[in-house]
């Protein structure tokens, strides 16, 4: 799927809603990644696009914070299964679990295992930074952070400060342009005007 087709498929799921960010700020264009992650064909296409970028690194495991990041990590891992270098998936909890396999990582891997971190959206970068720092605390190098959408609200800069590059499939400003009514695809315009 081309980048333009993927962007349109993403927008067709109407992922932008009015909602509060985790810090309480009300956004009129909050990105509800769960609307996207719940659609199998779109999730598969997004996972393929993210995997393509992650496969160019030395990552051995893909991880994301519970919940959206963990779901996305599993999807990327699944599409990697048919490649020469499959990636295992892990979820990173915000707080340590004190029963079963305790700790913040859903399943242990050998120290020094290289991780790619994924999430649906990068806003301020707080969740991504928290995940990167936790993996590093556990002695795992992180090759980078990979997201569907960069809201361009400081995540890239926050991650740069901890030496973790951010790669996004889309930037908010690009999708905002596509969402404008006066930027409707030609075929849709033709259908409305009857030409």
């Amino acid at each position: 799927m081309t980048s333009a087709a993927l962007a349109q498929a993403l927008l067709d799921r109407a992922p932008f809603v009015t909602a509060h960010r985790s810090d309480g700020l009300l956004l009129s264009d909050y990105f509800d990644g769960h609307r996207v992650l719940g659609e199998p064909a779109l999730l598969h296409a997004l996972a393929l696009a993210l995997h393509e970028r992650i496969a160019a690194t030395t990552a051995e495991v893909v991880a994301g914070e519970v919940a959206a990041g963990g779901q996305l990590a599993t999807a990327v891992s699944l599409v990697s299964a048919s490649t020469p270098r499959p990636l295992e998936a892990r979820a990173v909890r915000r707080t340590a679990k004190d029963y079963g396999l305790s700790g913040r990582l859903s399943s242990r891997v050998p120290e020094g295992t290289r991780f790619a971190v994924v999430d649906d959206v990068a806003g301020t970068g707080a969740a991504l930074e928290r995940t990167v720092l936790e993996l590093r605390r556990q002695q795992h190098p992180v090759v980078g952070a990979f997201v569907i959408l960069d809201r361009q609200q400081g995540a890239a800069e926050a991650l740069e400060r901890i030496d973790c590059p951010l790669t996004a499939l889309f930037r908010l400003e690009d999708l905002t342009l596509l969402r404008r009514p006066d930027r409707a695809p030609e075929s849709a315009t033709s259908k409305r005007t009857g030409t």
Side-chain angles (χ1 to χ4, degrees):
M1 184 179 293
T2 67
S3 182
L6 187 55
Q8 191 55 58
L10 189 70
L11 292 173
D12 287 347
R13 293 296 294 179
F16 291 100
V17 298
T18 299
H20 289 94
R21 204 168 63 179
S22 61
D23 63 4
L25 180 67
L26 181 65
L27 300 174
S28 62
D29 58 357
Y30 178 88
F31 183 76
D32 181 7
H34 293 285
R35 290 183 182 208
V36 173
L37 300 179
E39 203 289 304
L42 179 54
L43 175 58
H44 184 258
L46 290 165
L48 281 170
L50 287 168
H51 176 261
E52 181 181 312
R53 287 147 180 88
I54 294 168
T57 73
T58 60
E60 301 166 282
V61 176
V62 60
E65 189 174 82
V66 176
Q71 288 177 265
L72 200 50
T74 299
V76 171
S77 177
L78 285 170
V79 300
S80 80
S82 61
T83 69
R85 191 168 56 94
L87 301 169
E88 292 189 20
R90 295 292 187 276
V92 180
R93 302 177 188 100
R94 281 192 183 201
T95 58
K97 189 171 90 168
D98 59 2
Y99 59 92
L101 182 61
S102 61
R104 290 188 54 197
L105 196 57
S106 60
S107 181
R108 293 185 183 98
V109 294
E111 191 175 294
T113 300
R114 293 180 303 277
F115 277 78
V117 173
V118 295
D119 209 345
D120 58 341
V121 64
T124 64
L128 289 165
E129 184 175 4
R130 183 171 52 240
T131 301
V132 169
L133 294 176
E134 176 58 24
L135 290 169
R136 287 180 178 167
R137 188 189 68 75
Q138 294 187 31
Q139 305 304 311
H140 300 301
V142 177
V143 302
F146 301 81
V147 297
I148 297 169
L149 177 69
D150 179 3
R151 289 191 56 84
Q152 301 169 278
Q153 294 178 321
E157 295 79 8
L159 291 170
E160 186 177 309
R161 286 191 291 275
I162 61 167
D163 195 30
C164 180
L166 176 66
T167 301
L169 298 180
F170 303 103
R171 296 178 310 163
L172 181 61
E173 67 182 15
D174 299 329
L175 292 183
T176 299
L177 283 174
L178 289 173
R179 291 171 58 212
R180 287 185 15 212
D182 61 331
R183 297 277 311 202
E186 197 171 311
S187 60
T189 304
S190 299
K191 287 178 187 171
R192 280 200 308 267
T193 60
T195 58

